[in-house]
Amino acid sequence: MKLLSSGGRSARLAELVPHASPLLLALLGAQHGRPQAPIRAELFGPQRFAQHGRSLGATHHVQTDRARSAVFFPRLRDNVAVLRLAQRYIAEQAAVGYDLSPAAEWLLDNFHLVEAQLKEVRDGLPARYFRALPVLRDEPLAGLPRVYGVAWAFVAHTDSAFDEDLLVTYLVAYQEARELTLGEMWALPTTLRVVLIENLRRLAERVATLKAAREVANQLCDDSNAPALQTVQALHLALEARGAGAMFLAQMWQRTLNLQGSANADLQAWLRAALPQPADVQAQHNANQAADNLSVSNAIHALRAIAGADWPDLVARSSRLMGLMLQSPSFTADATATRDQALHGIEALARSAGRSEVDVAQALLALMQPPGSDAARNEPLRVAAYWLQGRGRPQLSRDLGLRPDWSRLW
């Protein structure tokens, strides 16, 4: 049988279901293929998250070749487009009085929050910032920022919920095996939003697509007491391309179960062959629906919680670099702007020297603890700026193995 393009599928659906709305046709005839499974895995508590953080850190290897074109917000525009389409279709269903699942109601009532995330992601960090982040080398997330893999695992093993203490436990354990840069820590809130939007797209697409498949079956049965077998077969083929073929057949089986006539007998015989266990399909759908309801609720709450979280405190509790630098009384006493200036200097020096930020911090802290009892004389030496920007800069450069002329670059 000849395969149809996405545009051809839409035209064929319009022909087979003449009363279908444009939104239904766009949803089922779209070019997005089969909806992907939600980002959802075994739920982890603190101990299990710590174990997973250490094992994940050990397996996360980064690319060394920086000459690449990476996508730092994978299919973000497509995710938002599909979310908007699903939301409009759900709203259309609600307007004509159809019952909605809790997940559909969550999406309908909170879609303004989802829309706001696109602006948060775009405004949160510029693309050039993400281009400086370490990138994963191996599948399944090869070419994406390492922090994307970190965020993906956290979303999956919390079922899209946001728990600050769990996040800190996970990040601290991850860095026992693999240090995260300060830039990655500050990219985390934006990256979590991107992964949550990805998951909401998957959930919304599944909810809306399966609802649309049931509507197609209902319209077909409403238009005719004995739907033509050929029409049912053609619709099943079209809906199978969107992962909704089984749901369509289950609804057709339910609607035609008690109808009489030879034509319906032929249809029932074909349905039994195509879907031997329709009750199992409905049971699985009910189980998925209950899980999706919780995932959507968690994701909506998580987007709000990320916006309200105290990220400077989270970074201070999670970052190895911050943990080291806060051991210095002078750094701890500095104003926020002065601290940030010192941290940027450490980041830049680490890049120039090809060393980790923790290595640079350890060398810096060693110099910030001068020997001797003359406190007044030694006080300037205890300030990070003296070694990062002042007269002590050549000494710090030498300690890190930099040639003297390199110290000017950073």
Side-chain angles (χ1 to χ4, degrees):
M1 185 176 290
K2 183 180 178 182
L3 296 178
L4 297 177
S5 66
S6 59
R9 286 204 306 271
S10 296
R12 182 64 173 146
L13 280 169
E15 177 186 332
L16 293 169
V17 193
H19 299 146
S21 71
L23 284 173
L24 183 147
L25 296 175
L27 185 63
L28 293 180
Q31 70 273 23
H32 308 289
R34 298 174 70 88
Q36 292 181 287
I39 302 171
R40 192 161 56 211
E42 178 188 354
L43 286 178
F44 287 166
Q47 184 177 0
R48 187 68 183 87
F49 247 124
Q51 293 173 349
H52 187 64
R54 286 188 288 269
S55 63
L56 193 65
T59 61
H60 271 181
H61 303 288
V62 299
Q63 293 183 6
T64 55
D65 180 14
R66 307 300 291 182
R68 68 201 187 296
S69 58
V71 178
F72 294 97
F73 300 131
R75 71 174 195 168
L76 180 62
R77 291 180 182 276
D78 188 49
N79 285 343
V80 173
V82 172
L83 275 164
R84 286 172 178 158
L85 177 59
Q87 185 267 345
R88 290 198 299 270
Y89 174 72
I90 291 168
E92 180 181 77
Q93 291 286 289
V96 295
Y98 284 108
D99 291 336
L100 300 180
S101 68
E105 290 180 347
W106 270 102
L107 289 164
L108 198 59
D109 295 342
N110 295 278
F111 198 74
H112 62 282
L113 177 65
V114 177
E115 289 275 22
Q117 299 311 302
L118 181 59
K119 185 177 189 307
E120 291 288 342
V121 169
R122 287 173 173 167
D123 296 348
L125 293 170
R128 66 179 180 275
Y129 184 97
F130 279 85
R131 292 192 185 101
L133 298 179
V135 168
L136 289 171
R137 183 189 70 194
D138 303 319
E139 296 295 345
L141 300 177
L144 292 171
R146 177 171 59 187
V147 69
Y148 190 85
V150 172
W152 184 286
F154 184 74
V155 169
H157 292 292
T158 58
D159 194 11
S160 294
F162 183 74
D163 184 304
E164 292 187 14
D165 292 335
L166 269 183
L167 180 61
V168 170
T169 297
Y170 168 52
L171 293 174
V172 169
Y174 181 99
Q175 291 176 97
E176 292 177 20
R178 188 86 56 186
E179 178 188 336
L180 292 169
T181 68
L182 193 61
E184 289 177 294
M185 302 296 286
W186 281 111
L188 195 54
T190 296
T191 311
L192 282 169
R193 286 186 174 100
V194 171
V195 177
L196 285 168
I197 290 172
E198 168 71 34
N199 203 24
L200 278 172
R201 174 257 174 87
R202 295 175 180 216
L203 292 160
E205 188 174 18
R206 180 154 82 171
V207 168
T209 300
L210 294 182
K211 189 168 185 60
R214 292 195 301 274
E215 186 189 351
V216 167
N218 289 335
Q219 286 195 20
L220 193 62
C221 294
D222 290 342
D223 289 344
S224 171
N225 286 328
L229 176 56
Q230 209 170 21
T231 301
V232 174
Q233 290 172 329
L235 281 170
H236 174 246
L237 184 64
L239 294 176
E240 190 66 18
R242 285 292 279 145
M247 180 53 61
F248 167 73
L249 294 182
Q251 187 70 7
M252 286 296 305
W253 174 81
Q254 188 174 17
R255 286 293 307 268
T256 61
L257 184 61
N258 297 317
L259 295 180
Q260 303 299 318
S262 58
N264 186 62
D266 292 341
L267 175 58
Q268 279 288 309
W270 182 83
L271 286 172
R272 281 194 296 271
L275 193 71
Q277 300 293 336
D280 290 352
V281 172
Q282 188 60 48
Q284 185 61 57
H285 171 67
N286 292 341
N288 289 342
Q289 188 177 68
D292 291 353
N293 292 341
L294 181 59
S295 296
V296 171
S297 170
N298 286 344
I300 296 294
H301 284 305
L303 290 172
R304 289 199 183 98
I306 289 168
D310 185 351
W311 284 99
D313 177 68
L314 277 170
V315 170
R317 293 163 59 194
S318 307
S319 166
R320 287 188 65 197
L321 172 61
M322 285 294 292
L324 276 173
M325 292 305 299
L326 288 172
Q327 294 175 12
S328 164
S330 64
F331 180 85
T332 303
D334 280 341
T336 300
T338 306
R339 280 193 199 180
D340 289 345
Q341 194 173 29
L343 293 170
H344 289 319
I346 292 171
E347 287 180 282
L349 183 52
R351 287 194 297 271
S352 296
R355 304 281 290 274
S356 75
E357 293 169 359
V358 168
D359 287 344
V360 175
Q362 289 171 335
L364 173 62
L365 289 171
L367 292 171
M368 290 171 63
Q369 299 171 3
S373 58
D374 190 345
R377 183 182 176 202
N378 289 335
E379 190 59 32
L381 306 183
R382 302 182 189 277
V383 178
Y386 175 85
W387 303 101
L388 290 167
Q389 301 162 354
R391 293 182 179 182
R393 186 172 65 181
Q395 178 63 53
L396 179 57
S397 300
R398 286 192 294 271
D399 288 356
L400 291 168
L402 280 170
R403 295 196 300 268
D405 59 323
W406 281 22
S407 66
R408 292 194 296 270
L409 295 178
W410 52 267

